[in-house]
Amino acid sequence: MAVERALRTSAPHALLDAVQDTLTVHYTARKVDLLMADYAMTILQPVNALPHTAAPVPIHTSAPGRAFGAQEPYVEAGGRGGLCTAHLPVSVRGDRIGILSVCLPADACDPATLRELADVAEVLGHEIVVAERDTDLYLQARRADRLTLAAEMQWQLLPGRSCSRPEYDIGAQLEPAYAIHGDNFDWSASADHLTLTVTNGMGEGIEAALLTNLAVNALRNARRAGLSLSDQACLADQAVYGHYQGAVHLSMLLLRFDLATGETEIIDAGSPKMWRMRNGRAEPVALDAQLPLGMSEDTPYTTEHFQVSPGDRLLFVSDGVYDVASPTGERYSERALTRAMTNSRLLPPSQVPRAVLHELSGHRGPIAADDDALIVCLDWRGRP
């Protein structure tokens, strides 16, 4: 494919120029834009207008946002001069990055061309992920505001904000996106297993970010060494205690799913909680609580077992969600979360965290958030 060759030989910061030149030659494109989703997942921002001089495009009330939400091409017809604009999702293995908008002659917007342009957008997404190792351009385009240093450190830890495989779909979000503190999530899949971690560190600002970085990298180090789930928790616990000597700790929920059977090992070491929706009914999952990481020296951790079934939806939340108070002092708690899960049951996992956070902001009212809010949604399909 000519576009793929052009992207692979392009300079990292010039991917949009490469795709624009090639689409102009091969598809008579009149205009090509790349819009990146911001950290809060509420707007799309043009890459070719940095620093941001062009108005951002709202995700929820725009044609590009429609394509972004549905993750399907969307065509705006009836443009001036007999033109149409195709909005194409730019994503990598389910992780939604942005939108490629291509303005074409109306007679060129046929199904075959749209399929080819959708393939171009997918290739562009992969090239953006690779290019981000060598340029800040695409990370800058995602920012509607300046990140705090703590938020910068936390976002660099994340594997993505959504992921899709035949066995499952995952979506996750952190709020406030531009000033997060100690909450984080991580996942990694092999041929046979999915490991998911939800963490909530003590403190604020840089200290919270440093604690989370230490714990997450200790967990990754143990996981990549092939250690068992309990040994992963023990190694991370030793790393945190060895550095802080019990002065601070980090809460964690650590899970390992067998992709073939749905059998799941879980270690509950603190405040992140899990809810399950099965057959239309949402309810909290009670787990055996163990000590948070770093609270005492040489804490032993044991796994408990849980069975996830095809069709199950799991929701993981930090205390910045379920412990939020309304202006009258009422906690968000269990009843509100089960209602939010029910109301968002028809949405894909990539959109559920934003929907729940929207309900949370309504519950909190005008009061400013005093803690991070983290939500991870997992839809389980399993293997046939």
Side-chain angles (χ1 to χ4, degrees), residues 210-225:
L210 289 171
L211 170 61
T212 303
N213 268 262
L214 174 61
V216 169
N217 280 293
L219 287 165
R220 288 175 175 174
N221 178 256
R223 184 184 72 225
R224 292 164 184 170

Side-chain angles (χ1 to χ4, degrees), residues 338-350:
T338 54
R339 182 177 65 246
M341 287 187 68
T342 302
N343 292 343
S344 61
R345 66 189 181 280
L346 299 180
L347 295 175
S350 59

Side-chain angles (χ1 to χ4, degrees), residues 152-160 184-186 209 212-214 216-217 220:
E152 185 86 51
M153 295 169 66
Q154 297 289 63
W155 281 110
Q156 291 300 312
L157 272 181
L158 300 181
N184 212 269
F185 57 85
D186 192 27
T212 303
N213 268 262
L214 174 61
V216 169
N217 280 293
R220 288 175 175 174

Side-chain angles (χ1 to χ4, degrees), residues 199-273:
T199 56
N200 181 8
M202 283 181 62
E204 298 180 356
I206 299 298
E207 293 304 319
L210 289 171
L211 170 61
T212 303
N213 268 262
L214 174 61
V216 169
N217 280 293
L219 287 165
R220 288 175 175 174
N221 178 256
R223 184 184 72 225
R224 292 164 184 170
L227 301 184
S228 67
L229 206 68
S230 58
D231 286 341
Q232 292 176 34
C234 289
L235 188 147
D237 171 69
Q238 292 168 15
V240 174
Y241 185 85
H243 188 77
Y244 292 100
Q245 297 297 304
V248 298
H249 60 265
L250 179 132
S251 297
M252 174 196 69
L253 196 58
L254 181 60
L255 305 97
R256 187 170 186 259
F257 300 85
D258 187 305
L259 298 179
T261 66
E263 294 181 5
T264 308
E265 296 177 281
I266 302 178
I267 294 175
D268 178 5
S271 61
K273 304 297 182 185

Side-chain angles (χ1 to χ4, degrees), residues 47-65:
V47 169
N48 61 352
L50 294 178
H52 298 298
T53 56
V57 177
I59 284 180
H60 299 294
T61 58
S62 67

